[in-house]
Amino acid sequence: MGAGLLFVDELGRVLLVEPTYKDHWELPGGVVEGGESPGAAAVREVREELGLDVPLGQLLVVDWVPPGLYPDAGLRRW
């Protein structure tokens, strides 16, 4: 399961990160660890990736991938 956060500035620009281990840009976030909530994972990943301690905002999106279509089902918080 993965979790991410959406950052938008006063001009409407969206913050994306370019992970060194992937060939595409994405929202800040990452994998939810065992026993961790998606919200806690998103905040932790942003701290690890960007060095930012940010409060968690409201839930915007949940994306679920049904089992069988991909190896793992997924949830994403943006």
Side-chain angles (χ1 to χ4, degrees), residues 8-30:
V8 181
D9 70 9
E10 63 279 350
L11 298 176
R13 296 176 295 187
V14 174
L15 174 66
L16 297 175
V17 296
E18 184 181 20
T20 57
Y21 54 90
K22 294 182 180 177
D23 61 355
H24 60 274
W25 294 76
E26 62 184 19
L27 295 171

Side-chain angles (χ1 to χ4, degrees), residues 1-75:
M1 177 173 18
L5 293 176
L6 175 65
F7 292 92
V8 181
D9 70 9
E10 63 279 350
L11 298 176
R13 296 176 295 187
V14 174
L15 174 66
L16 297 175
V17 296
E18 184 181 20
T20 57
Y21 54 90
K22 294 182 180 177
D23 61 355
H24 60 274
W25 294 76
E26 62 184 19
L27 295 171
V31 175
V32 178
E33 296 176 356
E36 185 177 45
S37 73
V43 170
R44 175 185 52 75
E45 287 284 346
V46 166
R47 185 181 320 108
E48 291 174 1
E49 291 176 356
L50 305 175
L52 300 174
D53 282 310
V54 296
L56 189 60
Q58 72 183 80
L59 176 65
L60 297 178
V61 173
V62 173
D63 180 24
W64 179 70
V65 179
L69 201 55
Y70 299 98
D72 297 313
L75 287 174

